[in-house]
Amino acid sequence: MSGKHNRKTPRYRVHLSVRFARAREFVVEYAENLSQGGLFVKGAGSLEPLQEVDVELDLPGAGSYTVRAEVAHLIDAETAAKLGRSAGAGLAITHSPDGFEEALRGYLQRLGRRADMMVMVLDETFGLLLAAAGFQVATAPGPSELAAAMVRSEVPIIGLVVSSQRAPEYEQAAAKAGAGDVVVVMDSTDEFEGVLKRLDDEL
């Protein structure tokens, strides 16, 4: 990939870890949004305009890549507060390894599809993770109210994330609602990547 960031490229909100080279060391920060041409990295405000950095970018389900990027713009804390945004740096990807563009394109397509889908959760922490991954999220109703909630939803519900302890009652309720495969078991955040893959398989 070469050239400057194209602002016409769709941008997606994401929450993923990136590492960028600064002063001969990699510093872990978080990407706030991502597009085919670049990304905005929270907390990277100490970089300088037009500075070139190596960025290690982990694309969940698509691998890890190191790309070359140029600092296109900076948002300091004061400006960020006025705009209601996070402080950080906008990076334009200038060079990337073989396979990166295809992997990024596939990842962005999944992000776009996630935005059109709903996941119901019982655990607020899991809900925050799923929302950060791009899904619409709602609190799951009780098992007896599940069928009605699914009928009322204006957005397709592709997952109902519950603990293994609550799974049997929700699986029974989902089966009665004609959506027996919607229940996804998750007991800890360590299982999040597997849950994401399961949900993405439904997209």
Side-chain angles (χ1 to χ4, degrees):
M1 180 180 296
S2 61
K4 301 297 183 183
H5 170 63
N6 181 355
R7 291 188 177 275
K8 294 181 180 179
T9 304
R11 210 174 254 286
Y12 298 94
R13 292 191 63 79
V14 296
H15 182 78
L16 48 81
S17 177
V18 301
R19 298 195 305 164
F20 62 94
R22 183 176 66 198
R24 297 184 182 179
E25 61 182 314
F26 276 99
V27 180
V28 175
E29 300 290 356
Y30 290 91
E32 185 174 74
N33 55 53
L34 179 68
S35 73
Q36 196 70 31
L39 64 158
F40 183 83
V41 181
K42 294 193 291 185
S46 61
L47 297 175
E48 298 178 1
L50 303 182
Q51 180 179 351
E52 289 195 341
V53 292
D54 289 324
V55 180
E56 184 178 320
L57 184 60
D58 291 317
L59 303 178
S64 178
Y65 297 87
T66 299
V67 301
R68 190 74 172 165
E70 181 180 279
V71 178
H73 66 274
L74 295 168
I75 298 180
D76 59 27
E78 182 179 349
T79 303
K82 292 178 181 177
L83 297 175
R85 295 189 57 187
S86 301
L91 305 178
I93 297 172
T94 56
H95 299 285
S96 60
D98 291 342
F100 173 75
E101 290 189 44
E102 183 179 355
L104 179 59
R105 190 176 302 112
Y107 180 67
L108 292 176
Q109 287 173 348
R110 286 201 305 278
L111 287 179
R113 292 195 296 269
R114 286 177 186 174
D116 297 327
M117 300 294 173
M118 174 77 72
V119 180
M120 290 184 167
V121 298
L122 290 177
D123 186 289
E124 182 180 358
T125 298
F126 298 165
L128 291 173
L129 288 173
L130 289 162
F135 289 102
Q136 296 187 46
V137 175
T139 301
S144 63
E145 302 169 336
L146 180 61
M150 295 185 74
V151 170
R152 286 195 307 268
S153 179
E154 297 179 358
V155 180
I157 298 172
I158 64 165
L160 173 59
V161 179
V162 299
S163 65
S164 55
Q165 183 178 5
R166 301 291 306 273
E169 59 184 316
Y170 274 99
E171 286 171 348
Q172 185 176 15
K176 287 182 180 178
D181 61 348
V182 76
V183 176
V184 181
V185 175
M186 182 172 172
D187 289 313
S188 76
T189 55
D190 292 338
E191 301 169 319
F192 183 61
E193 289 300 321
V195 169
L196 265 187
K197 185 179 186 308
R198 164 80 184 275
L199 294 172
D200 281 341
D201 287 344
E202 300 295 325
L203 295 176

